[in-house]
Amino acid sequence: MVRYKQTLLGAAWAILKPFLTMVIFYVIFDRLAKVPTDGYPGPIFYFSALLPWVLVQDGVTKAGNSLVSGANLITKVYFPRLAIPLASVVSGSVDFGLSFLVLLGMMVFYHTQFAWSLLAVPLFMLMALVTALGVGLWLSAMNVAYRDIGHVTPFMVQVWMYASPVVYSANLITDPLLRTLYGLNPAVGVIQGFRWAILGGMEFPGVLVLESVLVSLVLLWGGAMYFRRMERSFADVV
């Protein structure tokens, strides 16, 4: 909670960010555009997707800028540099936990049935962290050498959100080939899987989850290798 020090609302920002975004999505995509929500209340549908997405989004953004923002520490003290982007990603777990309590309260308010699938929530939370870390390692190492990466990241993340089932359901994509290609986006299985865990009555998106796991692990492995290869030059370049 150190990052909320000297803020007006403190840790409430952790809840307000996904909650206010959910309200905007509900008004625009549910009430006005009438985008299908698989038969579930719009607020629950959007909020259950925003929780894992915000965890990925914030993790990628913070990890991508972590080495540059921590330049003074890198040039003065030796320690495993990997700890910096890792800490940036994991720190989002606290915000996730606070927002998850709000989601549970919303489920009670909308009389959403609690299912056994809720037990899978930690699994999809872990998948979100792995996805964020995998992408974050690539961006953080690249950002040291190419500072415009930091400017491109917010736009990239915004496009990534609309390429993921946050404001719509992955069930809208029914063509097998397109659905398989769509699943190569590692956030798809994370979000749709988390939504399944919360809502319970949906069909388990097994193929999408499997694809997300495989792609996320490849990103993490590749990002770690690239990070370690570039690590020796961080102190000189940053």
Side-chain angles (χ1 to χ4, degrees):
M1 293 294 126
V2 176
R3 65 183 178 277
Y4 295 120
K5 188 178 180 180
Q6 294 183 314
T7 58
L8 184 63
L9 297 178
W13 285 114
I15 299 172
L16 284 175
K17 180 178 180 179
F19 187 84
L20 293 178
T21 304
M22 175 272 292
V23 172
I24 294 172
F25 285 172
Y26 174 66
V27 172
I28 296 177
F29 295 102
D30 190 326
R31 306 308 298 173
L32 297 179
K34 305 296 183 183
V35 175
T37 58
D38 288 341
Y40 296 96
I44 299 291
F45 180 83
Y46 295 122
F47 205 66
S48 62
L50 280 168
L51 259 62
W53 170 249
V54 169
L55 187 59
V56 171
Q57 171 188 264
D58 286 358
V60 168
T61 303
K62 292 173 183 175
N65 294 319
S66 60
L67 295 180
V68 173
S69 61
N72 291 335
L73 186 61
I74 292 175
T75 54
K76 293 178 180 178
V77 182
Y78 177 76
F79 60 94
R81 311 305 193 207
L82 186 63
I84 297 180
L86 177 61
S88 299
V89 171
V90 174
S91 65
S93 301
V94 177
D95 294 356
F96 178 90
L98 295 174
S99 298
F100 184 70
L101 294 177
V102 175
L103 176 59
L104 294 179
M106 291 174 59
M107 293 173 67
V108 173
F109 180 81
Y110 283 98
H111 305 289
T112 303
Q113 184 177 1
F114 289 84
W116 63 268
S117 54
L118 276 171
L119 297 175
V121 164
L123 172 62
F124 292 108
M125 177 183 174
L126 178 61
M127 286 176 58
L129 292 173
V130 171
T131 299
L133 182 59
V135 178
L137 287 176
W138 282 99
L139 294 179
S140 61
M142 293 173 65
N143 197 26
V144 172
Y146 311 103
R147 297 301 171 85
D148 49 350
I149 293 296
H151 301 293
V152 173
T153 298
F155 174 74
M156 180 199 76
V157 171
Q158 190 70 17
V159 173
W160 191 7
M161 186 193 75
Y162 287 105
S164 306
V166 178
V167 298
Y168 56 89
S169 172
N171 293 329
L172 293 177
I173 303 175
T174 56
D175 182 88
L177 177 59
L178 290 178
R179 191 173 174 85
T180 300
L181 294 175
Y182 183 60
L184 295 177
N185 172 357
V188 170
V190 173
I191 295 171
Q192 196 70 7
F194 187 86
R195 196 176 259 153
W196 164 83
I198 295 298
L199 301 178
M202 299 176 63
E203 180 181 355
F204 178 64
V207 175
L208 296 179
V209 171
L210 179 59
E211 284 187 275
S212 287
V213 170
L214 294 176
V215 173
S216 296
L217 291 177
V218 170
L219 283 172
L220 181 61
W221 177 81
M225 294 298 101
Y226 179 70
F227 190 94
R228 289 180 63 85
R229 184 162 64 88
M230 299 293 291
E231 186 176 8
R232 290 185 291 271
S233 63
F234 287 164
D236 299 324
V237 179
V238 75

